[in-house]
Amino acid sequence: MTMAGHDRSSLRKVRLYGVLIGLLGLMMLPFYAMFSSTLKPESEIFAAPATLVPSDPSVQAYLQVWTQTDVLLWVGNSFIISVGTVVLTLLLAIPAAYSCARNDFVGKRTFLLSVLVVQMFAPVVLIVGLFDVISQMGLFNTYLAVIVPAAAFTLPFNVWMLYGYFKTIPVALEESARIDGASQLQILTKIVLPLTKPALVASVTYTFLYAWNRLLFVLTFLTDSAKYNIPRGVFSMVGALQTDWRMMLTVSVIGIIPLLILFAFLEEYIVAGMTAGAVKE
């Protein structure tokens, strides 16, 4: 490579990194502003002009949240709701996606397209009908009152992603196992699902994040404060006359930490699952 070519290549890399750093900074700015505000006194949060770095940083808000709120209970309830939603969603999505990937039947395309229809409606549009259904099923004020609707709204994405991934697994592998005497359940659990690990991890992550951040279902179907999740806990801190914004932001920061840990451990599988099938070889 000539000197001029080397200079152009270096200039392109500088521009690329500049754009990437700029985009990363833009995306992270709201999170930094939220975290920074938890370290400021209440008066500085709304001061003008706004400050990015706290003038007198303090962890007082974290101590207040720890001693004056049920933040650990809210985190625990968020785990229960999110894990329950993941389990119910996968129990329904895996058989549906696998059946569609391995069988041709009348109405298959219509079924797959109709599954997507659910994604077209915002939950708030259906909340009145859902309230009636949940009440009739006797699930009101139980964790299932939140888990069932959340699973219904995450099911379309999971069916389509797993369907696409199952299609990439050679049928010959299953036929060989069948010749060796494996049952259909053994083929699915011991051959197909292990090969589908990246897509399964992506499904679990997407569903977990969706359920973790749900406020509407908890706000509508749960009245017992002992079952509040993180978003509902934050909402309960809104006062009629006064709201402690610093404590609300602090609980929000605490609620994000488990998601960051989950993403850090599963990042490799998430990327692989999201890009599966994007390239034809």
Side-chain angles (χ1 to χ4, degrees):
M1 181 181 292
T2 63
M3 184 62 72
H6 183 271
D7 291 343
R8 282 196 296 272
S9 177
S10 299
L11 184 59
R12 280 197 296 270
K13 287 182 180 178
V14 170
R15 289 175 178 169
L16 175 62
Y17 282 115
V19 171
L20 291 177
I21 292 173
L23 289 174
L24 182 63
L26 187 62
M27 288 187 291
M28 294 303 297
L29 182 59
F31 298 101
Y32 173 76
M34 182 170 66
F35 173 70
S36 174
S37 296
T38 65
L39 304 178
K40 299 176 181 176
E42 186 85 15
S43 57
E44 190 180 349
I45 294 177
F46 299 103
T51 56
L52 284 178
V53 180
S55 59
D56 185 18
S58 168
V59 295
Q60 183 63 30
Y62 290 90
L63 297 177
Q64 281 184 285
V65 165
W66 182 263
T67 57
Q68 298 177 16
T69 71
D70 295 321
V71 64
L72 285 183
L73 177 67
W74 299 338
V75 171
N77 288 333
S78 291
F79 268 109
I80 293 173
I81 292 171
S82 300
V83 172
T85 304
V86 168
V87 171
L88 181 59
T89 300
L90 291 185
L91 284 176
L92 297 173
I94 290 174
Y98 183 71
S99 298
C100 291
R102 287 292 181 262
N103 300 290
D104 288 322
F105 52 87
V106 178
K108 172 181 164 181
R109 181 175 175 77
T110 304
F111 168 75
L112 288 171
L113 291 176
S114 63
V115 167
L116 287 179
V117 172
V118 179
Q119 294 282 42
M120 298 179 184
F121 297 97
V124 68
V125 176
L126 307 173
I127 200 66
V128 176
L130 282 173
F131 184 87
D132 188 43
V133 172
I134 293 297
S135 299
Q136 293 293 329
M137 293 174 67
L139 299 178
F140 190 77
N141 213 22
T142 67
Y143 290 119
L144 283 176
V146 179
I147 291 172
V148 172
F153 280 96
T154 56
L155 197 56
F157 172 83
N158 285 289
V159 168
W160 270 93
M161 188 172 66
L162 293 175
Y163 167 75
Y165 209 94
F166 285 143
K167 294 278 285 184
T168 65
I169 298 176
V171 179
L173 285 176
E174 301 178 36
E175 292 176 341
S176 298
R178 194 170 288 111
I179 292 173
D180 290 337
S183 65
Q184 188 60 53
L185 182 60
Q186 289 174 320
I187 292 173
L188 178 63
T189 56
K190 295 184 178 180
I191 296 177
V192 175
L193 290 184
L195 294 173
T196 321
K197 188 185 293 184
L200 287 175
V201 172
S203 293
V204 168
T205 306
Y206 165 77
T207 307
F208 192 92
L209 294 179
Y210 181 92
W212 186 275
N213 293 314
R214 284 311 93 188
L215 170 62
L216 180 63
F217 298 145
V218 180
L219 191 64
T220 307
F221 303 134
L222 295 182
T223 57
D224 184 359
S225 60
K227 295 186 174 69
Y228 284 178
N229 63 352
I230 284 287
R232 184 65 179 90
V234 172
F235 186 77
S236 69
M237 299 170 74
V238 177
L241 301 177
Q242 186 176 6
T243 299
D244 191 332
W245 292 100
R246 190 176 63 159
M247 288 185 66
M248 289 178 64
L249 293 170
T250 304
V251 173
S252 299
V253 169
I254 294 173
I256 291 174
I257 292 174
L259 302 182
L260 294 177
I261 295 173
L262 175 72
F263 189 84
F265 277 103
L266 301 179
E267 179 267 339
E268 179 184 354
Y269 291 107
I270 294 170
V271 174
M274 290 295 183
T275 57
V279 178
K280 297 291 185 184
E281 296 182 351

